[in-house]
Amino acid sequence: MNALTGTGALTRLALRRDRVMIPAWVVPIALLVASTASAFGGLYDTPAERAGVAASTAGNGSLRALYGPVFDTGIGGLTAWRMMAFGSALAGLMAILLVVRHTREEEEAGRLELVGAGAVGRRAPLAAALVTGFGAALLLGLLVTLALLGQGARGAVAFGIAFAGAGCSFAAVAAVAAQLTESARAARGISGAVLGLAFLARAVGDAGSGTLTWLSPLGWAENIRPFADEHWWVAALFAAWAAGLVAVAYALVARRDIDASLLPSRPGPATAGRRLRSAQGLAWRLQRGSLWGWTAGFAAGGAALGGLADGAADLVRDNERLADVMRDMGGASGLVDSYLASMTGVMGMIAAIYAVQAVLRLQAEENTGRAEPVLATGVGRVRWAAGHALLAFAGSVLLMAVSGFTMGLGYGVTTGDAGGQTARLTMAGLVQLPAVWFVAAVALLLYGAAPRAARASWGVASLTLAIGLYGPALRLSPWVMDLSVFTHLPKVPSADVTVAPLAVLTVLALALAALGLAALRRRDITT
């Protein structure tokens, strides 16, 4: 039997399973690119204004680290500057999740062993996963190209190739990681670490001499230079990287047994420690690695955004329309405070994504059969679920406190008032918590009452982020803005703290969480 026998059937199965997940990734990213181009067309409608943005970015290393350099001052070039770094990283993250889902996660759940017992070649599952990951990346590249055709066909095609190349590169990374570890969580962790290092190398390279940029697939994406004398040959770097890693993955999959890993696993002690003898302790043990990773990211992100405060204010000061957008996002008490308030809000929206992830760990434990043995002991459902919910609520407190502190520190160092700014912006970060808790409570309610619909909580978190980031620039209607719970928070530090909305949102979050736990007590657990 050929090693690739059954690849077509497994690919069709994977695409059927991901018929919602893939569009949920590629369509919003393509829409973000299109809306960014539209927003830039309205904000910078003269060549002089666009040239001013490029000049401000060239003289600000922090802005270059965050977004990359501006290679062209047209609308397409500015869109590439603003979206390439984060958009290509999102394409890579999408591909990582898809490939790990159809390789190591299938092995961990025991389904791959059943599939392998049929007429399926040894390398067919990996091939199907790569076809799915590569296909999603290519689909994203096609949609991005179509979204930007109005800015120029050559630049739009280059933009699409950059996104597709980044996605394929990290799909190949995930394929190798899936052979090295015995758990899907570890494979995602290794792949995510490579993605993080690639982003860091690109950021450091863009802020400095540019040498490190060429060590990162995300750096290659921006150096295709869409809409600016396109460097088509850079696409060959993506092809060589992906082909090399796929060859390594195919070689590794032939050297190990199903459910085995090439990196040695570390069995735990025969007797659980005192901290593992409770539902809360088990939840902490399962989620602590994720929380520490999020915390490190929030610390770095807060420091970078704080250090950018003065430069960001200078960037918008001469453009009244962009200044209005900043005030809409962060209040009207000065551009710097408006910027800080808007960035604090963005960090809160990202913290809501962490909170949803922490809550939905309950669903992962249930679906993989690990919850049932725990609940067969003296641990009740509410106590088991409350352990993970507590981490979602308390973990978001840690994230917002850390991001506010480092943002204040980053801004305070540039102003000579580190102590005052850290206290002020830490408070601003904590003000976001009722909205974060509300999104987490929605996830808990959906999981408890309608577990098949629990993944819709990702849509709630994504919707709040999309509205917060792009609603002011697109001048969305007030009723649309009100769909985001973060819209109802006071815009600290640009405005004073008002207790009423914070109290209402906190009470609503607690009520929804209680309803979710009550619903969990009354439904069947997946077996």
Side-chain angles (χ1 to χ4, degrees), residues 9 27 286:
V27 173
L286 292 172

Side-chain angles (χ1 to χ4, degrees), residues 195-205 212:
L195 178 61
L197 289 174
F199 191 90
L200 180 62
R202 181 213 58 79
V204 173
L212 284 178

Side-chain angles (χ1 to χ4, degrees), residues 26-327:
V26 301
V27 173
I29 295 174
L31 288 176
L32 286 178
V33 172
S35 63
T36 300
S38 175
F40 273 128
L43 294 172
Y44 303 105
D45 56 358
T46 67
E49 289 177 337
R50 295 193 288 270
V53 173
S56 299
T57 302
N60 191 317
S62 297
L63 280 176
R64 293 199 309 276
L66 192 61
Y67 297 118
V70 178
F71 293 116
D72 183 78
T73 59
I75 298 301
L78 290 182
T79 303
W81 163 68
R82 187 61 180 267
M83 288 300 300
M84 188 61 73
F86 291 99
S88 59
L90 285 174
L93 179 60
M94 172 192 70
I96 287 171
L97 295 178
L98 287 172
V99 171
V100 173
R101 172 181 168 85
H102 295 296
T103 52
R104 181 53 68 177
E105 192 170 307
E106 290 293 282
E107 289 190 55
E108 193 174 7
R111 290 186 290 266
L112 192 56
E113 190 172 6
L114 296 176
V115 170
V120 174
R122 185 72 177 87
R123 295 173 177 173
L126 176 59
L130 285 170
V131 170
T132 303
F134 287 174
L138 293 173
L139 177 61
L140 174 60
L142 175 62
L143 292 181
V144 167
T145 298
L146 295 175
L148 294 176
L149 278 178
Q151 306 301 327
R154 285 174 57 88
V157 171
F159 206 123
I161 289 174
F163 270 36
C168 291
S169 295
F170 288 100
V173 169
V176 174
Q179 314 312 315
L180 299 178
T181 67
E182 68 173 8
S183 72
R185 183 174 58 179
R188 285 190 289 265
I190 292 174
S191 305
V194 174
L195 178 61
L197 289 174
F199 191 90
L200 180 62
R202 181 213 58 79
V204 173
D206 285 341
S209 63
T211 303
L212 284 178
T213 303
W214 291 99
L215 300 179
S216 165
L218 303 183
W220 305 339
E222 70 178 28
N223 277 294
I224 288 183
R225 300 193 178 191
F227 305 101
D229 188 24
E230 291 81 7
H231 291 176
W232 301 105
W233 60 268
V234 177
L237 297 177
F238 290 123
W241 170 280
L245 289 180
V246 167
V248 171
Y250 277 140
L252 294 178
V253 76
R255 294 173 59 88
R256 67 175 183 85
D257 294 330
I258 291 179
D259 291 337
S261 64
L262 295 175
L263 294 179
S265 59
R266 296 187 302 168
T271 303
R274 184 177 60 183
R275 295 180 179 177
L276 275 176
R277 296 176 186 175
S278 67
Q280 291 76 18
L282 177 61
W284 166 249
R285 177 64 180 82
L286 292 172
Q287 299 215 40
R288 64 182 182 182
S290 173
L291 178 57
W292 292 139
W294 277 90
T295 302
F298 266 60
L305 293 172
L308 285 170
D310 280 334
D314 292 338
L315 186 64
V316 304
R317 186 166 281 115
D318 295 330
N319 188 307
E320 188 58 33
R321 278 169 294 182
L322 189 56
D324 288 341
V325 171
M326 187 68 74
R327 295 186 187 100

